[in-house]
PDB file of all heavy atoms in Angstrom:
ATOM      1  N   THR A   1       0.836  -1.203   0.000  1.00  0.00           N
ATOM      2  CA  THR A   1       0.000   0.000   0.000  1.00  0.00           C
ATOM      3  C   THR A   1       0.868   1.250   0.000  1.00  0.00           C
ATOM      4  O   THR A   1       0.599   2.218  -0.701  1.00  0.00           O
ATOM      5  CB  THR A   1      -0.931   0.004   1.226  1.00  0.00           C
ATOM      6  OG1 THR A   1      -1.710  -1.181   1.203  1.00  0.00           O
ATOM      7  CG2 THR A   1      -1.836   1.210   1.233  1.00  0.00           C
ATOM      8  N   TYR A   2       1.953   1.221   0.770  1.00  0.00           N
ATOM      9  CA  TYR A   2       2.844   2.379   0.844  1.00  0.00           C
ATOM     10  C   TYR A   2       3.635   2.550  -0.449  1.00  0.00           C
ATOM     11  O   TYR A   2       3.851   3.669  -0.908  1.00  0.00           O
ATOM     12  CB  TYR A   2       3.800   2.239   2.032  1.00  0.00           C
ATOM     13  CG  TYR A   2       4.701   3.434   2.213  1.00  0.00           C
ATOM     14  CD1 TYR A   2       4.231   4.616   2.763  1.00  0.00           C
ATOM     15  CD2 TYR A   2       6.037   3.385   1.820  1.00  0.00           C
ATOM     16  CE1 TYR A   2       5.055   5.725   2.921  1.00  0.00           C
ATOM     17  CE2 TYR A   2       6.875   4.485   1.972  1.00  0.00           C
ATOM     18  CZ  TYR A   2       6.376   5.642   2.521  1.00  0.00           C
ATOM     19  OH  TYR A   2       7.195   6.735   2.673  1.00  0.00           O
ATOM     20  N   ALA A   3       4.062   1.452  -1.073  1.00  0.00           N
ATOM     21  CA  ALA A   3       4.880   1.534  -2.286  1.00  0.00           C
ATOM     22  C   ALA A   3       4.113   2.134  -3.462  1.00  0.00           C
ATOM     23  O   ALA A   3       4.698   2.832  -4.288  1.00  0.00           O
ATOM     24  CB  ALA A   3       5.402   0.148  -2.671  1.00  0.00           C
ATOM     25  N   ARG A   4       2.805   1.855  -3.542  1.00  0.00           N
ATOM     26  CA  ARG A   4       1.977   2.374  -4.641  1.00  0.00           C
ATOM     27  C   ARG A   4       2.657   2.174  -5.996  1.00  0.00           C
ATOM     28  O   ARG A   4       2.937   3.129  -6.718  1.00  0.00           O
ATOM     29  CB  ARG A   4       1.638   3.836  -4.411  1.00  0.00           C
ATOM     30  CG  ARG A   4       0.832   4.087  -3.158  1.00  0.00           C
ATOM     31  CD  ARG A   4       0.454   5.535  -3.042  1.00  0.00           C
ATOM     32  NE  ARG A   4       1.636   6.380  -3.117  1.00  0.00           N
ATOM     33  CZ  ARG A   4       1.913   7.362  -2.288  1.00  0.00           C
ATOM     34  NH1 ARG A   4       1.074   7.675  -1.341  1.00  0.00           N
ATOM     35  NH2 ARG A   4       2.992   8.075  -2.417  1.00  0.00           N
ATOM     36  N   CYS A   5       2.914   0.953  -6.345  1.00  0.00           N
ATOM     37  CA  CYS A   5       3.639   0.596  -7.569  1.00  0.00           C
ATOM     38  C   CYS A   5       3.043   1.250  -8.808  1.00  0.00           C
ATOM     39  O   CYS A   5       1.831   1.389  -8.934  1.00  0.00           O
ATOM     40  CB  CYS A   5       3.639  -0.918  -7.752  1.00  0.00           C
ATOM     41  SG  CYS A   5       4.519  -1.762  -6.431  1.00  0.00           S
ATOM     42  N   ASN A   6       3.947   1.632  -9.698  1.00  0.00           N
ATOM     43  CA  ASN A   6       3.601   2.179 -11.016  1.00  0.00           C
ATOM     44  C   ASN A   6       2.790   3.474 -10.961  1.00  0.00           C
ATOM     45  O   ASN A   6       2.076   3.785 -11.907  1.00  0.00           O
ATOM     46  CB  ASN A   6       2.869   1.132 -11.864  1.00  0.00           C
ATOM     47  CG  ASN A   6       3.706  -0.113 -12.053  1.00  0.00           C
ATOM     48  OD1 ASN A   6       4.891  -0.022 -12.330  1.00  0.00           O
ATOM     49  ND2 ASN A   6       3.096  -1.269 -11.885  1.00  0.00           N
ATOM     50  N   ARG A   7       2.884   4.212  -9.871  1.00  0.00           N
ATOM     51  CA  ARG A   7       2.185   5.497  -9.783  1.00  0.00           C
ATOM     52  C   ARG A   7       3.197   6.629  -9.700  1.00  0.00           C
ATOM     53  O   ARG A   7       4.257   6.487  -9.103  1.00  0.00           O
ATOM     54  CB  ARG A   7       1.289   5.540  -8.540  1.00  0.00           C
ATOM     55  CG  ARG A   7       0.137   4.573  -8.629  1.00  0.00           C
ATOM     56  CD  ARG A   7      -0.811   4.808  -7.497  1.00  0.00           C
ATOM     57  NE  ARG A   7      -1.840   3.786  -7.479  1.00  0.00           N
ATOM     58  CZ  ARG A   7      -2.600   3.546  -6.448  1.00  0.00           C
ATOM     59  NH1 ARG A   7      -2.482   4.242  -5.337  1.00  0.00           N
ATOM     60  NH2 ARG A   7      -3.514   2.601  -6.504  1.00  0.00           N
ATOM     61  N   LYS A   8       2.835   7.759 -10.273  1.00  0.00           N
ATOM     62  CA  LYS A   8       3.696   8.933 -10.194  1.00  0.00           C
ATOM     63  C   LYS A   8       3.794   9.394  -8.748  1.00  0.00           C
ATOM     64  O   LYS A   8       2.864   9.266  -7.978  1.00  0.00           O
ATOM     65  CB  LYS A   8       3.132  10.062 -11.062  1.00  0.00           C
ATOM     66  CG  LYS A   8       3.162   9.749 -12.538  1.00  0.00           C
ATOM     67  CD  LYS A   8       2.587  10.897 -13.336  1.00  0.00           C
ATOM     68  CE  LYS A   8       2.588  10.561 -14.805  1.00  0.00           C
ATOM     69  NZ  LYS A   8       2.034  11.637 -15.612  1.00  0.00           N
ATOM     70  N   ASN A   9       4.930   9.951  -8.397  1.00  0.00           N
ATOM     71  CA  ASN A   9       5.192  10.491  -7.056  1.00  0.00           C
ATOM     72  C   ASN A   9       5.069   9.442  -5.963  1.00  0.00           C
ATOM     73  O   ASN A   9       4.800   9.777  -4.811  1.00  0.00           O
ATOM     74  CB  ASN A   9       4.271  11.684  -6.766  1.00  0.00           C
ATOM     75  CG  ASN A   9       4.472  12.799  -7.757  1.00  0.00           C
ATOM     76  OD1 ASN A   9       5.595  13.062  -8.175  1.00  0.00           O
ATOM     77  ND2 ASN A   9       3.387  13.442  -8.149  1.00  0.00           N
ATOM     78  N   ALA A  10       5.241   8.161  -6.288  1.00  0.00           N
ATOM     79  CA  ALA A  10       5.227   7.097  -5.282  1.00  0.00           C
ATOM     80  C   ALA A  10       6.562   7.102  -4.536  1.00  0.00           C
ATOM     81  O   ALA A  10       7.572   7.570  -5.061  1.00  0.00           O
ATOM     82  CB  ALA A  10       4.977   5.751  -5.949  1.00  0.00           C
ATOM     83  N   PRO A  11       6.584   6.591  -3.292  1.00  0.00           N
ATOM     84  CA  PRO A  11       7.794   6.641  -2.467  1.00  0.00           C
ATOM     85  C   PRO A  11       9.040   6.032  -3.103  1.00  0.00           C
ATOM     86  O   PRO A  11      10.127   6.515  -2.908  1.00  0.00           O
ATOM     87  CB  PRO A  11       7.402   5.861  -1.220  1.00  0.00           C
ATOM     88  CG  PRO A  11       5.928   5.946  -1.160  1.00  0.00           C
ATOM     89  CD  PRO A  11       5.463   6.004  -2.586  1.00  0.00           C
ATOM     90  N   TYR A  12       8.924   4.954  -3.853  1.00  0.00           N
ATOM     91  CA  TYR A  12      10.088   4.292  -4.440  1.00  0.00           C
ATOM     92  C   TYR A  12      10.103   4.493  -5.950  1.00  0.00           C
ATOM     93  O   TYR A  12      10.466   3.590  -6.698  1.00  0.00           O
ATOM     94  CB  TYR A  12      10.092   2.799  -4.087  1.00  0.00           C
ATOM     95  CG  TYR A  12       9.802   2.530  -2.630  1.00  0.00           C
ATOM     96  CD1 TYR A  12       8.710   1.769  -2.241  1.00  0.00           C
ATOM     97  CD2 TYR A  12      10.624   3.057  -1.631  1.00  0.00           C
ATOM     98  CE1 TYR A  12       8.445   1.536  -0.904  1.00  0.00           C
ATOM     99  CE2 TYR A  12      10.353   2.840  -0.291  1.00  0.00           C
ATOM    100  CZ  TYR A  12       9.268   2.074   0.061  1.00  0.00           C
ATOM    101  OH  TYR A  12       9.001   1.854   1.379  1.00  0.00           O
ATOM    102  N   SER A  13       9.673   5.661  -6.397  1.00  0.00           N
ATOM    103  CA  SER A  13       9.594   5.990  -7.823  1.00  0.00           C
ATOM    104  C   SER A  13       8.729   4.991  -8.582  1.00  0.00           C
ATOM    105  O   SER A  13       8.985   4.679  -9.730  1.00  0.00           O
ATOM    106  CB  SER A  13      10.998   6.050  -8.429  1.00  0.00           C
ATOM    107  OG  SER A  13      11.773   7.030  -7.770  1.00  0.00           O
ATOM    108  N   GLY A  14       7.718   4.467  -7.916  1.00  0.00           N
ATOM    109  CA  GLY A  14       6.786   3.537  -8.537  1.00  0.00           C
ATOM    110  C   GLY A  14       7.214   2.090  -8.509  1.00  0.00           C
ATOM    111  O   GLY A  14       6.495   1.215  -8.983  1.00  0.00           O
ATOM    112  N   ALA A  15       8.394   1.789  -7.952  1.00  0.00           N
ATOM    113  CA  ALA A  15       8.891   0.416  -7.877  1.00  0.00           C
ATOM    114  C   ALA A  15       8.328  -0.285  -6.635  1.00  0.00           C
ATOM    115  O   ALA A  15       7.935   0.367  -5.665  1.00  0.00           O
ATOM    116  CB  ALA A  15      10.414   0.410  -7.826  1.00  0.00           C
ATOM    117  N   PRO A  16       8.317  -1.613  -6.627  1.00  0.00           N
ATOM    118  CA  PRO A  16       7.897  -2.357  -5.434  1.00  0.00           C
ATOM    119  C   PRO A  16       8.898  -2.161  -4.295  1.00  0.00           C
ATOM    120  O   PRO A  16      10.054  -1.790  -4.519  1.00  0.00           O
ATOM    121  CB  PRO A  16       7.892  -3.810  -5.906  1.00  0.00           C
ATOM    122  CG  PRO A  16       7.864  -3.748  -7.395  1.00  0.00           C
ATOM    123  CD  PRO A  16       8.579  -2.492  -7.772  1.00  0.00           C
ATOM    124  N   HIS A  17       8.464  -2.432  -3.080  1.00  0.00           N
ATOM    125  CA  HIS A  17       9.339  -2.393  -1.903  1.00  0.00           C
ATOM    126  C   HIS A  17      10.276  -3.595  -1.970  1.00  0.00           C
ATOM    127  O   HIS A  17       9.824  -4.722  -2.127  1.00  0.00           O
ATOM    128  CB  HIS A  17       8.470  -2.434  -0.626  1.00  0.00           C
ATOM    129  CG  HIS A  17       9.225  -2.181   0.622  1.00  0.00           C
ATOM    130  ND1 HIS A  17       9.137  -3.014   1.717  1.00  0.00           N
ATOM    131  CD2 HIS A  17      10.058  -1.183   0.986  1.00  0.00           C
ATOM    132  CE1 HIS A  17       9.876  -2.539   2.686  1.00  0.00           C
ATOM    133  NE2 HIS A  17      10.453  -1.422   2.261  1.00  0.00           N
ATOM    134  N   ASN A  18      11.585  -3.376  -1.841  1.00  0.00           N
ATOM    135  CA  ASN A  18      12.569  -4.428  -2.086  1.00  0.00           C
ATOM    136  C   ASN A  18      12.960  -5.244  -0.858  1.00  0.00           C
ATOM    137  O   ASN A  18      13.947  -5.979  -0.888  1.00  0.00           O
ATOM    138  CB  ASN A  18      13.834  -3.840  -2.712  1.00  0.00           C
ATOM    139  CG  ASN A  18      14.635  -3.028  -1.710  1.00  0.00           C
ATOM    140  OD1 ASN A  18      14.108  -2.551  -0.713  1.00  0.00           O
ATOM    141  ND2 ASN A  18      15.904  -2.849  -1.984  1.00  0.00           N
ATOM    142  N   GLY A  19      12.212  -5.150   0.205  1.00  0.00           N
ATOM    143  CA  GLY A  19      12.534  -5.903   1.415  1.00  0.00           C
ATOM    144  C   GLY A  19      11.364  -5.880   2.368  1.00  0.00           C
ATOM    145  O   GLY A  19      10.226  -5.631   1.965  1.00  0.00           O
ATOM    146  N   ILE A  20      11.665  -6.139   3.635  1.00  0.00           N
ATOM    147  CA  ILE A  20      10.644  -6.054   4.675  1.00  0.00           C
ATOM    148  C   ILE A  20      11.133  -5.103   5.754  1.00  0.00           C
ATOM    149  O   ILE A  20      12.330  -4.986   5.990  1.00  0.00           O
ATOM    150  CB  ILE A  20      10.295  -7.440   5.282  1.00  0.00           C
ATOM    151  CG1 ILE A  20      11.528  -8.122   5.873  1.00  0.00           C
ATOM    152  CG2 ILE A  20       9.634  -8.328   4.227  1.00  0.00           C
ATOM    153  CD1 ILE A  20      11.240  -9.431   6.603  1.00  0.00           C
ATOM    154  N   ASP A  21      10.203  -4.394   6.363  1.00  0.00           N
ATOM    155  CA  ASP A  21      10.512  -3.478   7.456  1.00  0.00           C
ATOM    156  C   ASP A  21       9.998  -4.075   8.753  1.00  0.00           C
ATOM    157  O   ASP A  21       8.884  -4.599   8.802  1.00  0.00           O
ATOM    158  CB  ASP A  21       9.838  -2.117   7.240  1.00  0.00           C
ATOM    159  CG  ASP A  21      10.405  -1.369   6.044  1.00  0.00           C
ATOM    160  OD1 ASP A  21      11.523  -1.711   5.605  1.00  0.00           O
ATOM    161  OD2 ASP A  21       9.737  -0.447   5.562  1.00  0.00           O
ATOM    162  N   MET A  22      10.836  -3.993   9.793  1.00  0.00           N
ATOM    163  CA  MET A  22      10.478  -4.516  11.118  1.00  0.00           C
ATOM    164  C   MET A  22      10.864  -3.486  12.170  1.00  0.00           C
ATOM    165  O   MET A  22      11.906  -2.845  12.035  1.00  0.00           O
ATOM    166  CB  MET A  22      11.233  -5.808  11.398  1.00  0.00           C
ATOM    167  CG  MET A  22      10.975  -6.905  10.383  1.00  0.00           C
ATOM    168  SD  MET A  22      12.104  -8.294  10.583  1.00  0.00           S
ATOM    169  CE  MET A  22      13.507  -7.698   9.643  1.00  0.00           C
ATOM    170  N   ALA A  23      10.044  -3.333  13.194  1.00  0.00           N
ATOM    171  CA  ALA A  23      10.345  -2.379  14.261  1.00  0.00           C
ATOM    172  C   ALA A  23      10.298  -3.064  15.615  1.00  0.00           C
ATOM    173  O   ALA A  23       9.348  -3.764  15.935  1.00  0.00           O
ATOM    174  CB  ALA A  23       9.353  -1.228  14.234  1.00  0.00           C
ATOM    175  N   SER A  24      11.375  -2.866  16.386  1.00  0.00           N
ATOM    176  CA  SER A  24      11.437  -3.383  17.756  1.00  0.00           C
ATOM    177  C   SER A  24      11.676  -2.263  18.746  1.00  0.00           C
ATOM    178  O   SER A  24      11.646  -2.482  19.939  1.00  0.00           O
ATOM    179  CB  SER A  24      12.565  -4.413  17.890  1.00  0.00           C
ATOM    180  OG  SER A  24      12.246  -5.586  17.200  1.00  0.00           O
ATOM    181  N   GLY A  25      11.969  -1.075  18.232  1.00  0.00           N
ATOM    182  CA  GLY A  25      12.261   0.076  19.089  1.00  0.00           C
ATOM    183  C   GLY A  25      13.670   0.578  18.855  1.00  0.00           C
ATOM    184  O   GLY A  25      14.606  -0.210  18.655  1.00  0.00           O
ATOM    185  N   TYR A  26      13.811   1.879  18.848  1.00  0.00           N
ATOM    186  CA  TYR A  26      15.107   2.503  18.597  1.00  0.00           C
ATOM    187  C   TYR A  26      16.176   1.903  19.507  1.00  0.00           C
ATOM    188  O   TYR A  26      15.986   1.773  20.711  1.00  0.00           O
ATOM    189  CB  TYR A  26      15.022   4.019  18.820  1.00  0.00           C
ATOM    190  CG  TYR A  26      16.272   4.740  18.390  1.00  0.00           C
ATOM    191  CD1 TYR A  26      16.406   5.194  17.086  1.00  0.00           C
ATOM    192  CD2 TYR A  26      17.324   4.939  19.271  1.00  0.00           C
ATOM    193  CE1 TYR A  26      17.554   5.842  16.667  1.00  0.00           C
ATOM    194  CE2 TYR A  26      18.479   5.577  18.863  1.00  0.00           C
ATOM    195  CZ  TYR A  26      18.594   6.019  17.562  1.00  0.00           C
ATOM    196  OH  TYR A  26      19.740   6.652  17.152  1.00  0.00           O
ATOM    197  N   GLY A  27      17.303   1.519  18.924  1.00  0.00           N
ATOM    198  CA  GLY A  27      18.419   0.972  19.684  1.00  0.00           C
ATOM    199  C   GLY A  27      18.363  -0.531  19.894  1.00  0.00           C
ATOM    200  O   GLY A  27      19.308  -1.103  20.439  1.00  0.00           O
ATOM    201  N   SER A  28      17.282  -1.181  19.445  1.00  0.00           N
ATOM    202  CA  SER A  28      17.208  -2.644  19.571  1.00  0.00           C
ATOM    203  C   SER A  28      18.311  -3.277  18.727  1.00  0.00           C
ATOM    204  O   SER A  28      18.652  -2.784  17.653  1.00  0.00           O
ATOM    205  CB  SER A  28      15.857  -3.169  19.080  1.00  0.00           C
ATOM    206  OG  SER A  28      14.817  -2.681  19.882  1.00  0.00           O
ATOM    207  N   SER A  29      18.863  -4.376  19.205  1.00  0.00           N
ATOM    208  CA  SER A  29      19.958  -5.028  18.479  1.00  0.00           C
ATOM    209  C   SER A  29      19.460  -5.682  17.187  1.00  0.00           C
ATOM    210  O   SER A  29      18.340  -6.179  17.115  1.00  0.00           O
ATOM    211  CB  SER A  29      20.661  -6.048  19.369  1.00  0.00           C
ATOM    212  OG  SER A  29      19.758  -7.005  19.852  1.00  0.00           O
ATOM    213  N   ILE A  30      20.314  -5.645  16.172  1.00  0.00           N
ATOM    214  CA  ILE A  30      20.065  -6.272  14.875  1.00  0.00           C
ATOM    215  C   ILE A  30      21.018  -7.452  14.784  1.00  0.00           C
ATOM    216  O   ILE A  30      22.218  -7.312  15.017  1.00  0.00           O
ATOM    217  CB  ILE A  30      20.316  -5.282  13.727  1.00  0.00           C
ATOM    218  CG1 ILE A  30      19.349  -4.097  13.821  1.00  0.00           C
ATOM    219  CG2 ILE A  30      20.203  -5.983  12.373  1.00  0.00           C
ATOM    220  CD1 ILE A  30      19.679  -2.960  12.879  1.00  0.00           C
ATOM    221  N   HIS A  31      20.472  -8.611  14.417  1.00  0.00           N
ATOM    222  CA  HIS A  31      21.252  -9.848  14.371  1.00  0.00           C
ATOM    223  C   HIS A  31      21.360 -10.358  12.935  1.00  0.00           C
ATOM    224  O   HIS A  31      20.394 -10.283  12.174  1.00  0.00           O
ATOM    225  CB  HIS A  31      20.579 -10.920  15.230  1.00  0.00           C
ATOM    226  CG  HIS A  31      20.385 -10.485  16.641  1.00  0.00           C
ATOM    227  ND1 HIS A  31      21.261 -10.809  17.651  1.00  0.00           N
ATOM    228  CD2 HIS A  31      19.421  -9.732  17.224  1.00  0.00           C
ATOM    229  CE1 HIS A  31      20.850 -10.278  18.786  1.00  0.00           C
ATOM    230  NE2 HIS A  31      19.724  -9.603  18.555  1.00  0.00           N
TER     231      HIS A  31
END
């Protein structure tokens, strides 16, 4: 929904999102 593929002025220039986003809280360790 956020990527809005193939649309003008989309966040990734109309391309699909190339990964996954995860949130655990600022400063949480990344493994």
Side-chain angles (χ1 to χ4, degrees):
T1 303
Y2 183 76
R4 298 184 305 228
C5 296
N6 302 316
R7 293 189 187 163
K8 294 180 181 180
N9 300 322
Y12 314 120
S13 301
H17 189 230
N18 72 337
I20 58 175
D21 293 341
M22 301 170 276
S24 290
Y26 188 89
S28 296
S29 57
I30 298 170
H31 303 264

